[in-house]
Amino acid sequence: MMGGLVILWTDALVFLLLFFSVAFAVYAARREHLRGPWRQVVRSRVGVSTLVILSFYVVIGLLDSIHFEPQFSPDQQTGAQVQSSEVYSLFDRLVQPLRVRQEKTYSAPLATHLYAKENIEQPDGTVIRDFPRLQYGGAHLADPERDWAQDIMRLSLIGLIKGLVVTLVMANILFALLAARRSGGFAGAAKEVLSGKSDIPWRSVLITLGLLLMVLFWAVELSGRYHLLGTDKVGEDVFYQALKSIRTGLLIGTLTTLVMLPAAILLGIMAGYFRGWVDDLIQYTYTTLNSIPGVLLIAAAILMLQIYMSNHADEFNSLVERADLRLLFLCIILGVTSWTGLCRLLRGEAMKLREVDYVQAAVAFGVGHFQIILRHILPNVLHIVMITVVLDFSGLVLAEAVLSYVNIGVDPTMNSWGNMINSARLEMAREPVVWWSLMAAMIFMFTLVLSANLFSDVVRDAFDPRLRSSR
Amino acid sequence: MIAYIVRRILYAIPILIGVNILTFVLFFVVNSPDDMARMNLGMKRVTPEAIENWKAERGYDKPLLFNSASQGVGQVTDTIFFQKSLKLFQFDFGTSDSDRDIGYDISQRMWPSLAIAVPVLLIGLLVNITYALLIAFFRATYIDIWSVVLCVVMMSISGLFYIIGGQYLVSKLLHLMPISGYDTGFAAVKFLILPVLIGVVGGIGSGTRWYRTLFLEEINRDYVRTARAKGLSEGIVLFRHVLKNAMIPILTGVVVVLPLLFMGSLITESFFGIPGLGSYTIDAINRQDFAIVRAMVFLGSVLYIIGLLLTDISYTLVDPRVRLS
């Protein structure tokens, strides 16, 4: 049973961002100077492969950004309708089993037994101390020792085959679509793609997509019966946590830029275009802000937020809302510390552009300053803005982890890779080592950051011809 | 030259005043001292007297900007802004919540910070420049391509992972070095090796890639072509011409971070239990000791501005094309 929609602050901004991106894409598609470089991006093998990976992350992030009211479920003992306390997302709904199947405490990836020994009462009344079976992980096995390996192999195989089949179906649809567009028919299109001769490197897309789908189906298949990446201290599925953290990582990486863009663009162009006292004032502002070490400014601001929140605890309806506001605030304060770089770049560019002939001509014709900025300056600095947005992303995702470690990042109750790593610090000291939380966070983060880094390289090369020569 | 430096220093003063006002607003206006007291004393059932006591102990019981109860100059000086904010200009940081002199703590704790930061910087520079030169030598071959891929991969790994992984591998599995801790004098060396090593390894990715771009930019210049046309060997071209010219951006990039080395590294120091300024700051943030955070914000800004100043000066020294204006 679905409750009504709940729109958190960050959700609203995510969809605003999505709207802007689509609007910008439409705008860019009609202008050759923006469209050309993007065409180059989608023609690069690295570009399309990373784009596929990034879109997987984005889809999960978006699914996780549609929230519903807490649902009512019948209580097991009394049968009365009980409202669960948490707002949940569409993504939670999809992976419901992962969310609700909690164990008691740690368990290793794909384990059938708990991490810690417990007193277990045998059927005959004696008590022995042993690792108890997990409540959900591998619960279907009669004799884990004998069947475990075989079961894992079987499930993996099924998953991989399913992934392969879906990929093949998608490949065939692609060939059919391509064949409909040009002569040569289905076989011709397939041959062109598979030999890697197509304009857009569809072969790379298919390989990346195939690998991702196989991993996805493998994970789905195994998660149905086991805890793929183990469970954490309170028995929550680590795989689920890592997936939930995607939204946090993406939000930090994108919302921060969204928040800082208006100020950076406006002030940067104004400083470069008007010069004089406007320039002095704006330069002074960003030098001052920049001279405070970023981490300390964030720490100071977050400390102040904590004080505010604990003094006005009654203003927040739920933990989720509170964590959400803190995330938004973190994005804003990260934006405040990171807009200066873009502002300085835009100032330099605007300074160059105001001396260009067509701007001089516009001035001579008596066109207003506002019009000139809007018509002549802004369109010509958009590529710088775009490169900065893409370049900043991976740095921000990494920064989140560090900030959460210092306790000035996202709310401790929120799923994030930083929080996972933070808790892993103590787990590494345990014997035997609890490595899976750390590993899961690292793998998810690494994949995202690596794809973003490679993608941003391609984008920068496409938009910045000066750098292209040095490759 | 001297006139230029003096002008730059004068220009720094309004920036410092700006930082000062900003921290004042952040720490005392956005949240009043009452809020801070309530936070520190625990939220529930705090009597007004307890709050007054807490404020009086720390000197937060004065008015923010203007004290009408005092006489003459006291109306301006006997305020929080004057006592807590303006005194920072004299490097008088006051006392922390645990009643220690912050200025003294800072002067003690900056040495362990430097003991890590300086070797990391120097060894890192050496390693990165060597590697980048090597890549430039083998440019446009498979060595180049795979090295760049390696750099991007290394850049994409979180710094936290280097630390946790390094600690686990070197200290826990191989038992080569102590996991964390610190000692005085030369005994500290064995505690320093691991953090320095990890600092260097963690910086290879971005550092090498950046230097490679610098080198490759120089390699396409005309003077390099001339040097080759003269018949100089590739090695001499790289070392005598390319390296020398690429050193300008490298040096100025280093100079700007030099003063900030004093601040230490937040993460490394707290992971390795090194009593430097980085862990000092983290502890202060976790204990919500505002006096220390305020002092560190101010100190950080001063050091950053000194860094900018040094960069400008070093530019004029190493690059004769830059004129003072």
Side-chain angles (χ1 to χ4, degrees):
Chain A
M1 160 177 152
M2 296 278 221
L5 267 180
V6 173
I7 297 176
L8 298 174
W9 270 100
T10 48
D11 293 346
L13 287 172
V14 164
F15 287 102
L16 187 70
L17 184 69
L18 190 68
F19 171 75
F20 274 137
S21 317
V22 172
F24 183 75
V26 172
Y27 172 87
R30 282 196 253 138
R31 280 161 185 80
E32 186 54 33
H33 72 287
L34 292 172
R35 200 175 136 187
W38 278 114
R39 202 183 293 130
Q40 201 184 325
V41 170
V42 294
R43 281 186 184 166
S44 115
R45 286 202 302 258
V46 178
V48 288
S49 304
T50 49
L51 205 56
V52 170
I53 300 177
L54 289 176
S55 44
F56 256 73
Y57 275 86
V58 170
V59 167
I60 294 180
L62 285 178
L63 284 178
D64 207 7
S65 294
I66 303 170
H67 285 96
F68 299 103
E69 274 171 6
Q71 56 196 139
F72 291 91
S73 56
D75 190 288
Q76 276 164 358
Q77 271 107 46
T78 59
Q81 294 282 310
V82 181
Q83 190 175 20
S84 73
S85 60
E86 274 179 58
V87 176
Y88 70 102
S89 71
L90 190 59
F91 178 74
D92 287 335
R93 189 79 198 162
L94 289 175
V95 296
Q96 183 83 347
L98 284 181
R99 188 162 70 112
V100 292
R101 292 191 319 192
Q102 291 211 352
E103 305 291 346
K104 253 189 202 153
T105 180
Y106 293 117
S107 69
L110 300 175
T112 53
H113 290 86
L114 217 53
Y115 166 86
K117 282 191 176 172
E118 266 181 20
N119 292 328
I120 310 170
E121 200 172 328
Q122 296 292 100
D124 55 12
T126 54
V127 174
I128 55 162
R129 198 161 170 76
D130 199 5
F131 300 105
R133 283 289 294 271
L134 290 181
Q135 211 178 337
Y136 299 100
H140 60 295
L141 299 178
D143 178 8
E145 239 107 277
R146 191 193 57 204
D147 302 335
W148 181 79
Q150 210 185 359
D151 192 52
I152 298 281
M153 292 292 285
R154 192 178 59 88
L155 289 175
S156 304
L157 207 63
I158 296 178
L160 292 178
I161 290 174
K162 275 188 187 167
L164 200 63
V165 169
V166 175
T167 316
L168 288 178
V169 169
M170 289 179 103
N172 280 305
I173 295 175
L174 175 75
F175 297 153
L177 285 176
L178 286 178
R181 282 249 211 107
R182 72 192 81 181
S183 59
F186 187 84
K191 199 176 159 200
E192 192 184 292
V193 168
L194 292 179
S195 61
K197 288 195 182 111
S198 51
D199 253 1
I200 296 172
W202 286 114
R203 189 173 60 169
S204 305
V205 175
L206 284 178
I207 293 174
T208 322
L209 194 68
L211 285 176
L212 276 175
L213 283 174
M214 273 153 81
V215 171
L216 182 74
F217 277 94
W218 173 75
V220 167
E221 207 64 39
L222 281 176
S223 301
R225 296 294 171 88
Y226 295 93
H227 295 287
L228 182 63
L229 294 171
T231 52
D232 75 345
K233 192 172 183 179
V234 293
E236 240 196 353
D237 193 286
V238 172
F239 185 47
Y240 170 72
Q241 285 180 344
L243 285 172
K244 285 288 279 183
S245 305
I246 289 176
R247 175 175 184 264
T248 316
L250 288 179
L251 279 183
I252 297 259
T254 51
L255 278 196
T256 302
T257 355
L258 178 77
V259 169
M260 70 151 189
L261 271 188
I265 294 179
L266 188 72
L267 294 181
I269 291 181
M270 270 171 65
Y273 181 78
F274 290 113
R275 309 297 311 270
W277 65 269
V278 179
D279 189 18
D280 289 339
L281 190 70
I282 292 172
Q283 273 202 66
Y284 170 74
T285 312
Y286 71 60
T287 321
T288 307
L289 272 179
N290 218 18
S291 68
I292 302 177
V295 181
L296 287 174
L297 187 62
I298 295 168
I302 292 286
L303 277 184
M304 293 306 129
L305 181 78
Q306 275 175 348
I307 295 182
Y308 178 84
M309 281 189 163
S310 50
N311 284 343
H312 300 79
D314 44 329
E315 283 177 21
F316 304 99
N317 291 331
S318 64
L319 279 176
V320 176
E321 231 169 86
R322 205 181 130 137
D324 183 68
L325 266 184
R326 177 158 167 172
L327 177 65
L328 181 63
F329 189 76
L330 185 68
C331 288
I332 293 175
I333 194 73
L334 268 170
V336 169
T337 57
S338 64
W339 65 286
T340 50
L342 178 62
C343 192
R344 192 175 296 153
L345 274 178
L346 289 180
R347 172 177 169 270
E349 197 64 20
M351 236 150 76
K352 263 186 247 163
L353 283 173
R354 77 193 282 262
E355 307 298 336
V356 169
D357 288 345
Y358 54 81
V359 175
Q360 296 288 320
V363 174
F365 278 129
V367 181
H369 291 310
F370 182 71
Q371 278 286 321
I372 292 179
I373 289 181
L374 208 62
R375 297 278 291 279
H376 299 298
I377 312 263
L378 188 61
N380 282 308
V381 297
L382 272 185
H383 67 284
I384 298 184
V385 175
M386 206 146 52
I387 297 174
T388 317
V389 170
V390 179
L391 278 181
D392 279 355
F393 176 80
S394 53
L396 288 167
V397 175
L398 289 177
E400 185 272 327
V402 172
L403 291 179
S404 295
Y405 168 77
V406 198
N407 287 331
I408 51 175
V410 298
D411 198 85
T413 59
M414 191 165 220
N415 284 308
S416 88
W417 293 314
N419 282 338
M420 285 172 76
I421 297 173
N422 195 7
S423 61
R425 242 184 333 144
L426 297 174
E427 294 167 359
M428 292 299 281
R430 280 170 178 270
E431 201 62 50
V433 177
V434 177
W435 48 269
W436 44 89
S437 264
L438 178 73
M439 248 349 178
M442 283 302 168
I443 292 171
F444 273 78
M445 208 156 94
F446 175 72
T447 319
L448 177 62
V449 173
L450 183 65
S451 320
N453 272 337
L454 291 171
F455 183 68
S456 64
D457 274 3
V458 177
V459 171
R460 194 188 46 195
D461 288 345
F463 277 94
D464 200 338
R466 194 180 65 87
L467 283 168
R468 211 178 301 159
S469 61
S470 67
R471 263 174 71 92
Chain B
M1 186 72 189
I2 290 172
Y4 173 74
I5 295 174
V6 169
R7 202 165 57 236
R8 287 302 317 244
I9 293 176
L10 286 180
Y11 181 64
I13 292 174
I15 294 178
L16 279 180
I17 294 176
V19 171
N20 202 301
I21 292 175
L22 196 71
T23 43
F24 174 74
V25 169
L26 205 58
F27 280 95
F28 293 111
V29 181
V30 176
N31 283 283
S32 65
D34 283 21
D35 291 334
M36 277 191 265
R38 216 168 293 141
M39 176 92 177
N40 259 21
L41 295 170
M43 296 313 298
K44 303 269 156 25
R45 290 189 297 273
V46 182
T47 56
E49 292 83 50
I51 290 180
E52 285 308 317
N53 263 336
W54 188 91
K55 278 162 56 186
E57 268 173 33
R58 287 163 182 76
Y60 291 152
D61 52 347
K62 302 185 174 87
L64 285 179
L65 283 173
F66 187 78
N67 193 348
S68 49
S70 298
Q71 297 296 315
V73 198
Q75 287 191 327
V76 183
T77 57
D78 203 17
T79 58
I80 289 184
F81 181 65
F82 191 86
Q83 295 289 334
K84 297 287 169 191
S85 252
L86 287 184
K87 283 244 173 106
L88 292 175
F89 279 109
Q90 298 178 325
F91 291 97
D92 173 3
F93 298 123
T95 54
S96 67
D97 279 358
S98 47
D99 263 340
R100 293 174 61 90
D101 181 20
I102 297 177
Y104 174 78
D105 272 357
I106 289 178
S107 69
Q108 289 296 305
R109 278 172 165 261
M110 82 191 195
W111 300 112
S113 285
L114 282 179
I116 290 191
V118 172
V120 167
L121 180 79
L122 293 181
I123 301 175
L125 261 183
L126 191 72
V127 171
N128 294 346
I129 289 180
T130 316
Y131 190 25
L133 264 183
L134 200 75
I135 299 177
F137 188 78
F138 291 107
R139 64 190 169 280
T141 64
Y142 276 105
I143 297 180
D144 182 14
I145 295 172
W146 285 108
S147 297
V148 173
V149 171
L150 182 72
C151 285
V152 177
V153 167
M154 288 184 80
M155 271 169 66
S156 307
I157 299 174
S158 166
L160 294 171
F161 187 71
Y162 285 113
I163 298 177
I164 300 178
Q167 267 186 339
Y168 182 72
L169 190 74
V170 177
S171 300
K172 211 169 166 199
L173 283 188
L174 304 175
H175 296 289
L176 291 180
M177 274 155 245
I179 287 190
S180 67
Y182 198 69
D183 211 335
T184 46
F186 274 104
V189 171
K190 70 171 183 217
F191 292 105
L192 290 179
I193 295 175
L194 187 58
V196 169
L197 189 75
I198 289 173
V200 171
V201 171
I204 286 180
S206 53
T208 306
R209 216 166 83 106
W210 163 237
Y211 295 148
R212 173 186 168 273
T213 342
L214 293 180
F215 289 145
L216 290 188
E217 224 164 80
E218 290 297 324
I219 269 179
N220 291 327
R221 294 279 163 87
D222 289 341
Y223 69 87
V224 177
R225 198 181 309 139
T226 315
R228 285 211 195 94
K230 280 194 304 189
L232 293 184
S233 72
E234 186 68 18
I236 292 183
V237 170
L238 276 183
F239 274 99
R240 208 179 281 165
H241 294 275
V242 173
L243 181 61
K244 226 173 172 181
N245 280 288
M247 274 323 260
I248 296 174
I250 294 179
L251 266 187
T252 45
V254 169
V255 168
V256 86
V257 298
L258 275 183
L260 286 173
L261 293 183
F262 284 96
M263 300 287 286
S265 151
L266 296 182
I267 306 298
T268 314
E269 283 179 19
S270 77
F271 260 104
F272 289 99
I274 286 157
L277 282 181
S279 53
Y280 189 55
T281 316
I282 287 211
D283 291 347
I285 292 171
N286 286 337
R287 273 186 285 126
Q288 312 198 319
D289 195 327
F290 301 99
I292 297 178
V293 177
R294 222 165 42 224
M296 294 308 287
V297 166
F298 188 75
L299 190 66
S301 323
V302 173
L303 291 172
Y304 176 81
I305 290 167
I306 294 176
L308 284 186
L309 192 65
L310 289 179
T311 316
D312 285 346
I313 295 172
S314 66
Y315 250 124
T316 60
L317 290 181
V318 294
D319 193 347
R321 285 171 300 183
V322 174
R323 275 174 297 149
L324 307 174
S325 55

